[in-house]
Amino acid sequence: MKARALSHTPAAVRRNSRASVPNSGTGVSLRMAGRMPLLVMVMLIAVIAIIGGYLAVDTLTSKPHNGHYAIGEHIPTSFGGLTIASYETLKGLNENDLGGMSHGIQNFVAEDKAQIQIFVLLTNTTGQPIAYSPDQFRLIDGGQLVEATTASVLHGPIQANASIETTLGFVVPRDGAQFAIEFRDLGSATPIVIDLGSTDHAPTGGTDEHH
């Protein structure tokens, strides 16, 4: 009896051993299948990051669709950046405003004209001073370029890693025309253009009430 029991034991062990050995190919397939969602997610994240980076760079470096910039927009330049923070239109003075004394007044603006003032921020992000002049700004009045008549900051350098604020004034007719500012970046062949808007129409007779 003992001999029969012993003779059956190795066969049982062999059967159990065969049953416990897994199919190696199936195991690898299952592991890969389990990892597929993770791999797909990683790939999607990488693609999204690349697309997001491209869009961010494109947004920072591209102009609006019409090639012009807007008031308050940060504009990249060869030396750093430019922003026209705001602007205002000051109507010219009439005889009643001046009490009949319109002669000898410096920078006098008659009532048929207006002075457009722009408030500018220029930032130099380079490691060296750059030249600045009010002459780099001109107002576009139709097909004409109008030089600035007043400037709070005159010719001089913008120091390295510094900014300046300046106010520029341009005298234009009050004829309802559309205006824009042109900035000539000395480090670029293409001028920068910023849309402003339009003036009102000067009165055709009588006195003009303004504020």
Side-chain angles (χ1 to χ4, degrees), residues 72-90:
E73 185 174 0
H74 174 77
I75 304 168
T77 63
S78 65
F79 55 84
L82 158 69
T83 301
I84 295 184
S86 62
Y87 85 100
E88 63 181 351
T89 302
L90 305 176

Side-chain angles (χ1 to χ4, degrees), residues 56-119:
V57 172
D58 184 65
T59 300
L60 291 174
T61 58
S62 62
K63 293 183 179 181
H65 68 279
N66 64 353
H68 291 195
Y69 290 97
I71 295 294
E73 185 174 0
H74 174 77
I75 304 168
T77 63
S78 65
F79 55 84
L82 158 69
T83 301
I84 295 184
S86 62
Y87 85 100
E88 63 181 351
T89 302
L90 305 176
K91 298 177 183 178
L93 303 175
N94 58 35
E95 293 295 327
N96 290 343
D97 295 322
L98 300 171
M101 299 179 63
S102 59
H103 300 288
I105 300 178
Q106 187 176 10
N107 298 322
F108 171 71
V109 180
E111 67 173 323
D112 62 337
K113 292 180 172 57
Q115 178 169 284
I116 295 180
Q117 288 189 331
I118 62 172
F119 303 91

Side-chain angles (χ1 to χ4, degrees), residues 33-64:
R35 292 177 182 175
M36 282 301 295
L38 179 60
L39 293 174
V40 171
M41 183 178 295
V42 171
M43 293 176 65
L44 286 175
I45 292 173
V47 171
I48 292 172
I50 293 171
I51 294 174
Y54 171 80
L55 292 176
V57 172
D58 184 65
T59 300
L60 291 174
T61 58
S62 62
K63 293 183 179 181

